[in-house]
Amino acid sequence: MTVRPIRIFGDPVLRTPADEVTDFGPQLRELVRDLEDTVRVPGRAGVAAPQIGVSLRVFSYNVGGVVGHLVNPVLSGHAGEQTEEEGCLSLPGLGYDTRRFDSVVARGFDVHGEPLVIKGTGYLARALQHETDHLDGRLYVDTLTGDVRRQALREMRRVVPR
């Protein structure tokens, strides 16, 4: 079991769009194993490859006791809206109400290159969106607006080590 350390805000890999996976070989299998081991730590809902320093479009999730992964995800079928507090392992100690779609469909591949479709609602939909944002070099605080965004940016400067 390999639980990899999480990269913290300020690390350039978190702000860089990840590369598409083209090789579904042993290195990808090892990466997915590490992602799934890392997301199994209690209190974690998702871990994207950039969060462990790997700039590839892969993430793992752990929602409702179900651990899985998705390679090269594309989101569609956005519907409804939810606003709940959201946090991020790469921004420790911070959490803000964040608006997300209540329902999404994530299409991609499993570790073997087989097509995979995940239909998420509620918390799973939130996790799928959050992790896909990481693969695009975005953090959940980027979705915040107005006073909440200003507050988040102040807190990030105060709390997150640089």
Side-chain angles (χ1 to χ4, degrees):
M1 181 166 162
T2 303
V3 175
R4 305 264 293 265
I6 300 294
R7 300 294 178 98
I8 301 300
F9 177 75
D11 189 317
V13 72
L14 297 172
R15 291 304 204 170
T16 304
D19 297 323
E20 188 167 321
V21 172
T22 57
D23 182 357
F24 287 81
Q27 288 180 321
L28 178 63
R29 287 192 293 279
E30 181 179 348
L31 173 61
V32 167
R33 254 191 322 273
D34 289 355
L35 284 166
E36 290 185 348
D37 288 347
T38 302
V39 82
R40 282 187 174 93
V41 171
R44 294 183 174 177
V47 176
Q51 288 183 283
I52 61 170
V54 179
S55 190
L56 288 175
R57 295 188 66 79
V58 186
F59 66 75
S60 61
Y61 61 90
N62 183 358
V63 176
V66 176
V67 173
H69 68 275
L70 194 59
V71 178
N72 295 336
V74 176
L75 300 182
S76 64
H78 307 89
E81 186 178 290
Q82 59 171 306
T83 301
E84 298 290 335
E85 184 172 279
E86 192 164 322
C88 180
L89 298 171
S90 295
L91 295 166
L94 302 179
Y96 295 95
D97 282 352
T98 304
R99 189 168 43 196
R100 296 282 188 181
F101 292 107
D102 191 51
S103 175
V104 297
V105 176
R107 288 180 167 74
F109 301 91
D110 70 11
V111 71
H112 306 290
E114 295 298 319
L116 184 60
V117 177
I118 303 168
K119 296 178 182 179
T121 59
Y123 195 60
L124 178 56
R126 177 173 293 279
L128 294 171
Q129 292 166 85
H130 182 108
E131 300 311 322
T132 301
D133 279 352
H134 275 299
L135 304 181
D136 294 329
R138 290 192 310 260
L139 300 171
Y140 84 97
V141 293
D142 297 331
T143 69
L144 304 176
T145 59
D147 289 340
V148 174
R149 180 174 173 77
R150 284 188 285 283
Q151 178 186 355
L153 294 175
R154 274 194 306 274
E155 283 296 303
M156 286 167 59
R157 285 190 294 274
R158 186 180 73 71
V159 174
V160 178
R162 292 289 207 149

